[in-house]
Amino acid sequence: AELARQNPCDPKTLTRAARDFAASNPEFARSVGLAALQWQLRGHGYELTAQDAVDAFNHTLEAARHNGTEPDTVRSIQLLVDQHPRADRTIIVLLRQRLGEVTKVTAP
């Protein structure tokens, strides 16, 4: 997971790892899911679609729910989005929309 955060990795591979390990190793899945989002926002990856960003978001949050870190994970994703304002506009809009939906659901 540390290697995936520090070196450009294929976001689709990281997203699959987040999906596959969300229940069995949620901390790892959360970390690689955040890395997938980071690299997408930085413009890395091959033939990425908006759905790839949504999938990374969803699998990362699923992992966070399994280990009780959903609020921290939502904040981490928000920070990533805020740090990359020049990322692909479609990805930014979708991630902000999903963040808004999750925030409404988890608000007290």
Side-chain angles (χ1 to χ4, degrees):
E2 185 65 30
L3 182 62
R5 281 192 302 273
Q6 294 178 0
N7 298 290
C9 295
D10 178 41
K12 290 181 182 184
T13 300
L14 297 173
T15 298
R16 282 191 300 275
R19 178 197 67 204
D20 293 349
F21 289 95
S24 64
N25 192 344
E27 184 54 39
F28 171 76
R30 178 186 176 276
S31 292
V32 296
L34 288 170
L37 291 167
Q38 168 189 292
W39 293 118
Q40 286 181 27
L41 289 165
R42 289 184 177 182
H44 292 276
Y46 182 70
E47 293 185 7
L48 295 175
T49 66
Q51 187 62 48
D52 293 318
V54 171
D55 290 345
F57 181 94
N58 291 340
H59 296 310
T60 302
L61 277 189
E62 179 185 352
R65 288 183 191 112
H66 281 284
N67 72 355
T69 61
E70 187 174 1
D72 288 337
T73 301
V74 168
R75 283 190 292 275
S76 294
I77 295 170
Q78 183 64 59
L79 184 61
L80 282 172
V81 171
D82 292 346
Q83 289 175 338
H84 298 91
R86 295 183 183 196
D88 180 279
R89 178 94 175 122
T90 303
I91 292 174
I92 293 289
V93 168
L94 280 171
L95 291 177
R96 285 188 176 147
Q97 178 184 358
R98 292 292 294 130
L99 285 164
E101 293 167 3
V102 169
T103 304
K104 286 179 188 173
V105 170
T106 59

